Amino acid sequence: MSQPHFIVFANEKGGTGKSTTAVHTAIALAASGHRVGVLDLDSRQRTTTRYLENRDATMRRTGDTLPVATYEVLEEQTEDALAAAIDRLSAASDVLVIDTPGRDDPVARAAILRADTLVTPMNDSFVDLDLIGQVHPDTFKVTKPSFYAELIWNSRTARAKTTGKSVDWVVLRNRLQHIQSHNLARVGAAMDELALRVGFRVIPGLGERVIYRELFPKGLTLLDLKHLGEVGMGHIAARQELREMIAGLLIPSANEQREPIATAG
């Protein structure tokens, strides 16, 4: 059996919606037919794990069947424990989603080295953009990539040398405001400039919506609208954002994962 497709969510800054995006990605891929494993590397906050536990509790309470993923949290923060957890989850998965903590440590770096798709969710602000590149205070032009961008570059280079595989680095513009502004345009321009210099793709992520905070206690996602009670146009728009984000990640289909040498059609 081939290795699963590894999707690693990584960002050293907190508050970017990383775990919410990771869970929505995992459930959306499960709903599309993938066998999905999820590994939560943050053994203290456990946000991703608690989200999925809440989903299990909802199914037990309601008797409903929802798309699910196999998941575990990495209790022992060592590279050997990481490798063992990946082996366990890979045995029954064709996609493995890894949610790293909001810090730089050896285990997170080791996980990044596994990535086929590396996803960095970012709030749409210069504060968050500073993680991957610095800008001039007057012109807002990029002056140089940051330490984190260099870290990812080195990780991608190391992976290419050891495995011969490339890494698709995707930056998600999360929590986008639904109004246009000069600041929004400047951040977007700077991000596009950095993308060319550092080598990542930029795609829209999940917008700034209250619904995401309300979904967590029940472990639901925007794909579970029929379980949310009254549904408004905002919910429909948010679900479309999610679908566009998943499409933008360009993850191979379940059939492609299970039959990697089959031709299209």
Side-chain angles (χ1 to χ4, degrees), residues 57-65:
T58 292
M59 286 190 290
R60 289 193 299 270
R61 186 175 61 254
T62 64
D64 292 332
T65 300

Side-chain angles (χ1 to χ4, degrees), residues 8-45:
V8 180
F9 285 79
N11 188 326
E12 293 179 12
K13 288 183 179 290
T16 62
K18 178 169 60 63
S19 295
T20 297
T21 308
V23 169
H24 272 76
T25 298
I27 297 303
L29 292 173
S32 70
H34 286 282
R35 296 170 300 147
V36 181
V38 177
L39 181 57
D40 185 354
L41 301 192
D42 195 336
S43 58
R44 286 183 290 184
Q45 293 194 15

Side-chain angles (χ1 to χ4, degrees), residues 57-165:
T58 292
M59 286 190 290
R60 289 193 299 270
R61 186 175 61 254
T62 64
D64 292 332
T65 300
L66 301 171
V68 295
T70 304
Y71 61 93
E72 64 176 271
V73 63
L74 189 70
E75 300 286 3
E76 182 185 344
Q77 294 290 303
T78 67
E79 292 184 41
D80 286 342
L82 172 68
I86 286 174
D87 286 344
R88 286 192 297 273
L89 289 166
S90 295
S93 305
D94 50 56
V95 172
L96 182 53
V97 175
I98 302 178
D99 188 15
T100 66
R103 61 180 182 272
D104 177 28
D105 62 30
V107 173
R109 292 192 183 197
I112 289 171
L113 281 174
R114 299 271 190 155
D116 296 300
T117 302
L118 176 64
V119 184
T120 302
M122 292 182 58
N123 294 333
D124 226 45
S125 73
F126 283 112
V127 173
D128 281 61
L129 182 64
D130 191 65
L131 174 75
I132 53 176
Q134 299 176 17
V135 299
H136 191 278
D138 296 322
T139 65
F140 301 102
K141 292 291 186 180
V142 175
T143 57
K144 65 176 182 179
S146 70
F147 170 79
Y148 183 77
E150 293 176 357
L151 168 65
I152 299 302
W153 177 270
N154 292 335
S155 295
R156 295 166 76 190
T157 301
R159 187 178 192 274
K161 288 181 178 179
T162 56
T163 68
K165 296 180 179 179

